[in-house]
Amino acid sequence: MLPSCRESIKTAVLLVPKFARFDRCVHTVRLKPNYTSVNYNVSRGGFAHLQKQHLYFFRDLLGEHRMISDTIELEKYNVDWFNNLRGCSSLVLKPKTTQEVSQILSFCNQENLAVSPQAGNTSVVGGSVPVFDEIILSTELMNKIISIDDTSGVVVCQAGCVLENLDTAVAEKGLMVPLDLGAKGSCQIGGNVSTNAGGLRLFRYGNMHGNVLGLEAVTADGNIIECLGTLKKDNTGYHLKHLFIGSEGTLGIITKVAIQCTTRPTCQNVAFLGAQNFRKVLKTFKLAKQDLGEILSAIEVMDSATMEFIGEKLNINSPIGDYPFYLLLETSGSNTNHDSEKIFKFLEIALNSHFILNGTVAVEHAKINALWSVRERIPEGFNLCGHLFCYDVSLPVENYFILVDEMKIHMGSLADRVFGFGHLGDGNLHLQIETKEFSQQIKDHLEPYIFKRTAQFGGSISAEHGMGFLKAKYLNLARPPSTVNFMKDIKQMFDPKGILNPYKVFP
Amino acid sequence: MARVLVGVKRVIDYAVKIRVKPDKTGVLTDGVKHSMNPFDEIAVEEAVRMKEKKVASEIIAVSCGPPQAQEVLRTALAMGVDKGIHVEVAGPEYETLQPIHISKILAKIVQNEKVDLVILGKQAIDDDCNQTAQMTAAVLDWPQATYASKIEYGSKEITVVREVDGGLETIKCKLPAVVSADLRLNEPRYATLPNIMKAKKKPIQKLTPKDLGVDTSPRVQIVSVEDPPKREAGVILPDVDSLVGKLKEGGHI
């Protein structure tokens, strides 16, 4: 048996995407960030402080095993994914049922205790960690899949299901969750819905407002709002579910969702292309929409600075040599011959028209994953920077890259690197500014300038990441006062004491 | 400059979950994603690099199998191989095709095409035989250098670093020779679009074992193909003492 064991190990090495082999052990030792309350000019709301009798209530409700108050264990929940923000909560609660969430919120509301709802804690705008000592309500134990209907394609599950696990479960029935993002192994569906997460396939399948058929949520006073319909058509009264989608846990905590899954594609192709300039990228994009039509499922772009970035941080290299712009294009369909005929014809035209300079195509799982990993693993490099200012903006496609060029000039020698990548199909740009360390001077030079320019270009200052804590103060830049006031009225109605996710979304 | 032959086998893509046929005669292949055997890809890459270094003059890729085997030949052509030879073996005949048959087919083509060096993947990931390179060397009565992780080319001989138990072995062998490629020999390239387009115009010659005078009648009979045993579910133990108890009970400590 020994030789075959040896083989399986060797084969295992082969499974690592070929140009992504790198030493995962290269970690810089990172210090814990300062408390958010110290780093940012923000003052604590008039909430009650956690007392012994509160703890007794929670212990009676959940038992000791579903509460965390150990300082070291708490860190994971207090610090955000970027290691930039740090709350000082002293309690994590892990309910398993809607009833428990309701009882917790009802109690907190009555006692005036602030609550920070948390799913996978993968927010990049500080939406999922407490700012001060808010109680963290983690949905991680609410991970039951309630039903999967393989005829209608509707999955009903609890909010704490990890996206990837949910997708694996529905895959057994030939279905696919119409949402895919880099954080899929950690993020939870409840968080995805609360933040109206976008991701890699929004271009084809639309956002959560379209794909969530129903949900159940608990408002601040513990009231359970049941809109867990599984119907495609249901025009009975106000569509309340939409208020919870994208409101980032400020109106209520989502406890269950019903999602319309799509049929899992049986064949996929991925093309990785190199282009001379952004004008040609747009021409390729237009041609792809025309020639690939319904099978086009994702179209991503990245610039040469992004490729340099992942080369330097993660030792990932371009599979096709160096070009000013790279495009990743995916098709998903049900007939291999049909799809490959289409994609090869498209690529031939794009190449002969000089829209693209070079490229490669993957039709096998392993190579498809390897090409995707070039794009999906970019965020892994973020934590290996001195400091990275990240912006997530939507722009009309014709202005998509002008902002990156403009920021390069605007930053001058203040930044080590300015790079852009994103979901071209949705006009969603991830603009990153790398610096040696955090500096208020650099931040002031960036903000609100970058937001003002985005608005002038006809864009949105938060495309898919939400406002969270970090962008909250710019809400007034994005929306007129009457609209913001109306949002505040709604918040007041759902959560009069403001205990749910305070310091977030609103300035 | 050497004329190089590489073998390319079409196998079920390694990312695919293998399912055994209900009648236990083999595994399901219909509608399942296939790709080039990863070790063969390494062999192709090595040959293409030889050509780029001007130590090889022409590269011929051979695949034995059903009509779809041409897909992997096209992949090899797109990577830089000059010519493909498809030896068509389909249906039940393919199911019992063994390294002994393949090596005879390869040896015949080697002689017809006046090949100086044969590079094969060390094994295919579907049947894990690891025999074809060795048998081909035997049929041709050529020296063999198996599990190559590095090859240096001289005018009449090659120096090969082999991965063996406990370390690396360096051997020299005279050309013509047969080499089998191990995992760390190189990292195969991605075929670029212009080369994929060009590959469509490159020739693929079609042959049958009969054309080559090779008898492919089966030497073995497949008795049964079965799933590996299912892993039993784990148990959660309340404390260290019961863990120690369990480990003792199972004879692990």
Side-chain angles (χ1 to χ4, degrees):
Chain A
M1 287 307 283
L2 262 177
S4 77
C5 281
R6 187 172 60 192
E7 290 322 319
S8 61
I9 291 163
K10 286 186 181 174
T11 314
V13 179
L14 195 76
L15 305 191
V16 178
K18 56 186 70 169
F19 49 90
R21 275 179 214 163
F22 74 108
D23 185 4
R24 274 177 187 269
C25 305
V26 186
H27 282 303
T28 42
V29 178
R30 286 178 72 87
L31 301 170
K32 282 189 195 106
N34 259 338
Y35 287 113
T36 310
S37 52
V38 178
N39 263 1
Y40 293 81
N41 187 19
V42 51
S43 49
R44 191 178 180 281
F47 304 108
H49 291 270
L50 198 62
Q51 307 286 335
K52 272 229 167 83
Q53 73 267 22
H54 299 140
L55 291 174
Y56 295 146
F57 171 84
F58 294 128
R59 195 193 55 199
D60 290 346
L61 180 67
L62 302 174
E64 273 169 16
H65 290 299
R66 291 197 279 136
M67 292 166 64
I68 295 175
S69 49
D70 175 82
T71 332
I72 293 165
E73 275 188 77
L74 277 166
E75 284 299 326
K76 185 185 130 194
Y77 300 87
N78 266 322
V79 179
D80 80 327
W81 182 82
F82 263 123
N83 202 40
N84 278 340
L85 299 169
R86 185 177 173 203
C88 51
S89 176
S90 56
L91 181 65
V92 176
L93 301 175
K94 297 193 211 175
K96 279 185 173 175
T97 64
T98 306
Q99 285 308 325
E100 285 173 353
V101 174
S102 165
Q103 281 170 282
I104 292 167
L105 288 188
S106 160
F107 180 76
C108 289
N109 194 45
Q110 177 196 315
E111 296 291 315
N112 198 25
L113 290 164
V115 176
S116 172
Q118 187 177 94
N121 195 12
T122 59
S123 172
V124 289
V125 288
S128 57
V129 285
V131 177
F132 291 92
D133 58 344
E134 300 92 286
I135 293 169
I136 297 168
L137 191 150
S138 166
T139 50
E140 68 187 31
L141 296 184
M142 302 180 70
N143 55 7
K144 290 234 155 49
I145 295 170
I146 298 157
S147 67
I148 304 172
D149 183 329
D150 53 2
T151 309
S152 66
V154 179
V155 57
V156 181
C157 65
Q158 279 191 301
C161 290
V162 171
L163 178 59
E164 194 168 28
N165 298 349
L166 188 63
D167 190 50
T168 309
V170 300
E172 298 268 313
K173 309 244 179 184
L175 301 170
M176 184 173 83
V177 179
L179 172 75
D180 189 13
L181 49 154
K184 62 188 163 215
S186 316
C187 67
Q188 297 168 14
I189 195 71
N192 298 145
V193 175
S194 298
T195 56
N196 189 22
L200 304 166
R201 304 225 166 85
L202 186 133
F203 173 69
R204 165 102 161 240
Y205 303 111
N207 68 17
M208 300 313 282
H209 284 287
N211 294 318
V212 173
L213 295 180
L215 55 78
E216 177 194 77
V218 181
T219 53
D221 57 0
N223 194 15
I224 299 170
I225 311 286
E226 208 271 318
C227 321
L228 198 59
T230 55
L231 303 169
K232 276 219 148 189
K233 289 184 167 179
D234 185 7
N235 285 350
T236 48
Y238 298 164
H239 291 213
L240 292 179
K241 67 179 182 192
H242 292 299
L243 278 173
F244 295 101
I245 300 172
S247 56
E248 304 180 46
T250 58
L251 297 182
I253 295 182
I254 295 174
T255 45
K256 282 177 196 156
V257 289
I259 292 175
Q260 175 69 61
C261 294
T262 66
T263 302
R264 203 168 193 87
T266 48
C267 64
Q268 282 189 316
N269 293 293
V270 168
F272 198 91
L273 312 171
Q276 184 63 47
N277 53 47
F278 193 69
R279 206 166 43 84
K280 302 245 164 139
V281 167
L282 287 183
K283 285 190 167 169
T284 314
F285 175 39
K286 201 175 160 199
L287 183 72
K289 284 199 285 187
Q290 274 169 13
D291 286 8
L292 297 172
E294 80 291 350
I295 61 167
L296 184 60
S297 54
I299 182 156
E300 298 285 312
V301 67
M302 58 199 275
D303 62 2
S304 58
T306 307
M307 192 62 85
E308 277 165 30
F309 173 80
I310 53 175
E312 196 181 296
K313 309 288 179 198
L314 305 169
N315 201 17
I316 298 176
N317 298 312
S318 161
I320 55 168
D322 296 334
Y323 295 94
F325 284 93
Y326 303 93
L327 269 168
L328 186 151
L329 198 142
E330 182 197 71
T331 67
S332 308
S334 57
N335 183 320
T336 315
N337 294 341
H338 168 267
D339 291 7
S340 51
E341 196 179 309
K342 262 188 168 178
I343 195 165
F344 279 104
K345 192 175 157 229
F346 153 74
L347 290 170
E348 208 167 339
I349 297 172
L351 199 63
N352 293 338
S353 320
H354 306 287
F355 292 174
I356 52 172
L357 295 172
N358 197 359
T360 187
V361 187
V363 292
E364 298 121 13
H365 290 295
K367 286 192 178 141
I368 286 174
N369 292 343
L371 288 181
W372 261 120
S373 78
V374 178
R375 164 65 186 87
E376 282 192 296
R377 292 186 55 205
I378 298 169
E380 280 179 38
F382 295 176
N383 277 331
L384 305 170
C385 293
H387 188 82
L388 196 71
F389 294 92
C390 302
Y391 299 95
D392 158 53
V393 299
S394 269
L395 290 160
V397 278
E398 64 271 19
N399 296 336
Y400 189 89
F401 233 86
I402 300 176
L403 188 66
V404 181
D405 292 334
E406 196 168 280
M407 287 315 290
K408 278 181 188 162
I409 298 163
H410 180 73
M411 292 310 289
S413 59
L414 279 176
D416 289 349
R417 189 182 346 243
V418 176
F419 60 101
F421 63 92
H423 317 295
L424 180 66
D426 319 322
N428 183 182
L429 171 73
H430 296 307
L431 173 56
Q432 321 286 330
I433 291 109
E434 186 185 356
T435 60
K436 284 194 182 60
E437 56 189 0
F438 176 83
S439 121
Q440 193 58 45
Q441 185 210 349
I442 297 173
K443 193 170 164 52
D444 292 343
H445 192 65
L446 270 166
E447 299 173 17
Y449 177 83
I450 195 167
F451 298 129
K452 283 190 176 146
R453 288 303 287 153
T454 304
Q456 283 160 1
F457 281 128
S460 160
I461 63 165
S462 181
E464 59 175 5
H465 291 168
M467 304 305 282
F469 170 72
L470 291 174
K471 281 188 183 169
K473 60 181 165 181
Y474 300 113
L475 185 66
N476 289 327
L477 271 178
R479 303 281 191 184
S482 60
T483 310
V484 175
N485 285 336
F486 195 63
M487 289 185 195
K488 284 181 178 164
D489 290 345
I490 293 172
K491 167 77 176 169
Q492 179 66 25
M493 196 198 130
F494 278 68
D495 178 17
K497 291 183 175 175
I499 62 158
L500 274 177
N501 225 7
Y503 325 106
K504 317 277 171 68
V505 181
F506 294 103
Chain B
M1 283 204 287
R3 286 169 64 78
V4 183
L5 181 142
V6 290
V8 289
K9 184 176 184 183
R10 177 176 177 266
V11 297
I12 294 178
D13 192 275
Y14 72 70
V16 172
K17 195 169 179 280
I18 302 290
R19 288 179 203 274
V20 174
K21 281 186 194 165
D23 65 3
K24 296 188 177 178
T25 56
V27 298
L28 288 168
T29 54
D30 284 352
V32 173
K33 187 76 117 186
H34 284 68
S35 55
M36 191 193 295
N37 177 37
F39 292 106
D40 296 348
E41 232 183 324
I42 295 171
V44 172
E45 176 66 30
E46 192 60 24
V48 174
R49 288 186 193 187
M50 280 179 76
K51 199 175 171 193
E52 284 166 350
K53 282 188 224 150
K54 307 227 184 296
V55 284
S57 56
E58 191 181 14
I59 311 165
I60 302 160
V62 179
S63 190
C64 305
Q68 299 95 314
Q70 290 197 17
E71 290 162 17
V72 296
L73 281 173
R74 287 283 169 217
T75 309
L77 292 170
M79 285 172 76
V81 165
D82 300 294
K83 174 182 152 181
I85 297 177
H86 175 214
V87 182
E88 190 164 343
V89 186
E93 193 188 356
Y94 183 60
E95 278 169 26
T96 53
L97 199 70
Q98 291 281 315
I100 182 74
H101 307 124
I102 307 281
S103 55
K104 285 179 182 170
I105 289 170
L106 292 180
K108 249 324 192 260
I109 296 172
V110 162
Q111 284 160 353
N112 293 349
E113 298 283 340
K114 301 193 171 46
V115 166
D116 309 294
L117 179 67
V118 177
I119 311 179
L120 305 175
K122 68 164 178 180
Q123 72 189 79
I125 60 165
D126 53 358
D127 58 23
D128 272 348
C129 277
N130 186 353
Q131 295 162 349
T132 307
Q134 294 87 331
M135 286 185 176
T136 306
V139 176
L140 288 165
D141 196 20
W142 285 5
Q144 56 177 297
T146 49
Y147 315 123
S149 64
K150 196 178 170 203
I151 310 174
E152 277 170 39
Y153 304 93
S155 57
K156 288 196 175 120
E157 60 178 21
I158 49 173
T159 308
V160 177
V161 179
R162 306 177 62 233
E163 298 198 352
V164 293
D165 272 349
L168 298 172
E169 181 186 64
T170 306
I171 59 165
K172 277 189 177 175
C173 83
K174 286 211 166 70
L175 289 175
V178 178
V179 173
S180 80
D182 210 331
L183 180 65
R184 276 161 281 265
L185 182 59
N186 58 50
E187 287 189 27
R189 70 194 60 198
Y190 278 81
T192 61
L193 272 181
N195 289 337
I196 293 171
M197 303 297 173
K198 272 186 227 155
K200 289 186 177 166
K201 297 190 183 94
K202 288 184 185 175
I204 293 183
Q205 188 187 351
K206 266 204 213 173
L207 292 173
T208 61
K210 221 179 180 179
D211 296 337
L212 297 163
V214 176
D215 173 19
T216 55
S217 50
R219 297 277 193 103
V220 293
Q221 184 196 349
I222 295 165
V223 181
S224 169
V225 174
E226 279 166 47
D227 275 312
K230 278 217 168 71
R231 192 168 168 261
E232 279 175 42
V235 283
I236 293 172
L237 300 168
D239 50 41
V240 176
D241 288 342
S242 40
L243 173 67
V244 172
K246 260 277 191 252
L247 287 172
K248 274 187 180 156
E249 198 182 294
H252 300 294
I253 51 169

